[in-house]
Amino acid sequence: MNIRCALVDDEPLALGLLESYVRKTPSLELCGSYPSAVQALHGLQEHPVDLLFLDIQMPELSGLEYARMVPETTRIVFTTAFGQYALDGWRVHALDYLLKPISYADFLEAVGRARQWFDLQQRADAAPAPPAAPEAAEADFIYVKSDYKLVQIPLDKIRYIEGLKDYVKIHLEDEPRPVLSLVSLRALEERLPASRFLRVHRSFIVQKSKITIIDKGRIVFGKDYIPVSESYKQELQNYVNEHII
């Protein structure tokens, strides 16, 4: 299948360059080219695309602000001349990040990542849900799909799991990068033993035994602060009360 894409950049030269890249890439179908996020907001509202190449620094409405408005089915590749925005792009679940001036090789690499993501999405939609095994709750590990591989995750290494739209980031002890897997947080929660893991927010599951610091209603893992929503506070408090001396 072709990937339907759109471009948003307030620099005419940058926009023209991206248009030329899209036109000579057979797997892409250009559905819109916009000089501002405001125009893209109106143009793509009724006809969203699969992939959006989005500049970050723009007047009126920045790329980061617009990224929070696009449908969940639209994946984003940020394009910018400023490397300090990489972390911000990750926080709004960008698929990739291209630093200007953008070469065609870098552009193709981002398209390849997008293609992999959409292929995984199609496979996940087509695959039947695996039956829950009675012994799964007592297992010491789980398997997750990540980058076309099955990866074994020991349960005792999981600190917390973060849900990002239709995939998750599994944060492990002694690992600098989380494991990304195309699975919903709810589906993963159903396979984890409730005796060990606790949902504390619609986007976060934590391992109870890894909770060492709770500060102002947030769970602290190093430099990461995990919010606890009102609907889950009582369950967390019950667990803490069981262990207070």
Side-chain angles (χ1 to χ4, degrees), residues 95-156:
L95 191 65
D96 207 346
Y97 180 93
L98 293 175
L99 193 61
K100 297 178 182 179
I102 301 167
S103 69
Y104 186 51
D106 289 340
F107 179 84
L108 284 179
E109 189 173 344
V111 172
R113 289 196 183 96
R115 168 64 66 187
Q116 289 181 353
W117 193 93
F118 287 117
D119 286 347
L120 282 172
Q121 180 69 65
Q122 282 188 330
R123 293 182 186 183
D125 291 342
E135 66 275 9
E138 302 301 325
D140 294 327
F141 59 87
I142 56 174
Y143 282 104
V144 298
K145 291 180 180 179
S146 181
D147 293 332
Y148 292 96
K149 300 186 293 290
L150 276 176
V151 180
Q152 187 189 86
I153 307 291
L155 294 184
D156 60 4

Side-chain angles (χ1 to χ4, degrees), residues 10 35-39 42 56-63 65-66 69:
D10 65 331
S36 74
V38 173
Q39 292 186 39
H42 296 297
I56 290 182
Q57 277 203 326
M58 290 183 290
E60 296 185 275
L61 184 66
S62 75
E65 292 169 333
Y66 178 50
M69 303 177 186

Side-chain angles (χ1 to χ4, degrees), residues 158-161 171 173 200 204-214 218-227:
I158 298 175
R159 301 177 77 183
Y160 67 94
I161 303 166
H171 297 261
E173 286 186 333
V200 296
F204 290 96
I205 296 172
V206 300
Q207 179 153 202
K208 297 176 182 178
S209 63
K210 305 297 181 181
I211 300 174
T212 57
I213 299 175
I214 300 175
R218 299 174 297 175
I219 300 170
V220 183
F221 291 111
K223 295 181 180 180
D224 298 329
Y225 287 78
I226 309 302

Side-chain angles (χ1 to χ4, degrees), residues 50 67 69-75 117 121 164-166 202:
D50 304 312
M69 303 177 186
V70 300
E72 292 187 358
T73 53
T74 299
R75 311 312 300 176
W117 193 93
Q121 180 69 65
L164 302 172
K165 291 189 178 179
D166 37 19
R202 63 184 179 87

